[in-house]
Amino acid sequence: MSGIRMPGRSLVALAASLAAFTAWGATIEILNTDSPGVGFNDKTAVAPVGGNEGSTLGEQRMNVYKKVASVWGKQLPAGPVIQISANWPALDCNASQAVLGQAGAVTSWHDFPNAPKTGTWYPAALANTLAQVDLDDGAKPEISSSFNVNLGKANCLEGTPWYLGLDGNAPAGSIDFAVVLTHEVGHGLGFATPTNGSTGLQPRDTDGTRYPTVWESMMFDNTAGKTWLEMSAAERRASAINPRGLVWTGANVVADMPSVLKKGTPMLTVKSKQFPDVAGVYQVGPAAFGPPLSSTVLKGGMARVIDQADGVIGLACDPLSSANAALVAGRVALLDRGTCNFSVKVKNAQDAGAIGVIVVNNVAGGPPTGLPGSDDTVVIPSVMITQADGATLKTALTGNVLATDKITAVLGIDKTRYAGADAAGRVMLFTPNPFQGGSSVSHWDTSATRNLLMEPAINDDLPTFKVSAPKDLTLELLKDIGW
Ligand SMILES: [Zn+2]
């Protein structure tokens, strides 16, 4: 996870420096801004871990940062030194979740020497590199970064500490600092748009003029059929909460995507001649239990689980009544989220003869999350759909038509489509509804498979120190914006 700091902004008009850069390898300098005894200055003695020979906690933290700075530096063209301020404050956390770190460009620049596009904001490190001069003459660092000093302690994901090794062998239950750092430095280098997704407003210069960011021409909304550059603020606001509807069109990401993501997008296809209004393809969140959708294509009529004798509507938390069992037998059961675990519902439907289950979310928004849980005795596939999509299906399955074979549900994967990309092969940005401050828009969608470094939450299967194809797409996006 990360918070993304809004950059400060400055208008610049410096003498042009036209030296073309051909040299490779950026220099990234870490500015330790911790107080004595804190964070990078913590003198607590520690044993070496995973190739990190630092003898104090602070030293080990800095060793990881130096390694990540060197990994990133090798990927980038040479230019003025990129300074990153770094410290270890107490970031937001509680018993069950934590902000691990946050980072962002400290300033953004437009219309600087060698700027590829006029009237367009670029993050400081990129602007300096394109201009081949430090645009604020070293007044401010280009990137600021902070990491959660309390992680693993009481009320801050207790028992889930940082792993400070350099070998990518973080034990289960720990969080690999190298991976989080690589993610956060990615934000600082420009994997973030400062355009405000919750207002749709572009960043303003000191004279009040608003300019687009370098991201916007490559952010395409499949529903609106427009890029963010072509949209009004209201349209951008809507696009930022259009689940799986906003994609990245930059050429480097598009070119390398097929070597990174896997084919096979889970989906529900509903077919019906009698009820054409419900026919279509629906987004699903697959279950963590039961057979994976990739192993099976399931096709069947649909049935809605209705009121039980106890007055509970469609929850399937108890064994199904004989009336419900008669409806769902041999069909795909449609039932509601709530009250009991997903695996309990699916098992009850299975016991009543259902061949698959569609769980309808009980809160608005999207995209549909998956169904967590485990039960080895579940042998039928199940998925979650959004509340809105559930309402559409329920409308058809009402009155006397609680179950019908004239509405067919097909659960499986679209083998032609990459997981995390749209039908045209463009990777989806993270645009859940409701908006998630600090996460929305400036990350990849969580449906990406393999998992990507720049998803909003750090997955524990990410490789360390990998930022480009075939393992990742962070560097490709940075190239798209001008690196
Ligand atoms: Zn992030």
Side-chain angles (χ1 to χ4, degrees), residues 183-248:
H183 173 109
E184 295 302 341
V185 173
H187 281 314
L189 291 167
F191 200 109
T193 176
T195 296
N196 188 322
S198 61
T199 63
L201 292 173
Q202 295 166 329
R204 196 162 44 189
D205 204 341
T206 45
D207 68 357
T209 312
R210 295 186 185 279
Y211 296 98
T213 71
V214 65
W215 269 48
E216 289 173 42
S217 64
M218 290 170 277
M219 301 167 76
F220 184 81
D221 188 295
N222 274 319
T223 307
K226 288 182 189 180
T227 67
W228 272 36
L229 194 58
E230 300 162 325
M231 289 184 185
S232 66
E235 288 172 321
R236 284 190 288 269
R237 199 162 61 232
S239 179
I241 50 170
N242 181 13
R244 298 183 184 160
L246 182 65
V247 297
W248 184 260

Side-chain angles (χ1 to χ4, degrees), residues 94-143:
N94 58 39
S96 60
Q97 54 186 340
V99 175
L100 302 175
Q102 56 191 24
V106 174
T107 54
S108 292
W109 301 79
H110 67 82
D111 298 295
F112 49 86
N114 305 332
K117 295 178 183 179
T118 57
T120 303
W121 291 112
Y122 288 78
L126 173 56
N128 287 353
T129 302
L130 290 165
Q132 286 291 290
V133 63
D134 192 320
L135 293 164
D136 70 0
D137 215 11
K140 289 180 184 171
E142 283 65 46
I143 297 171

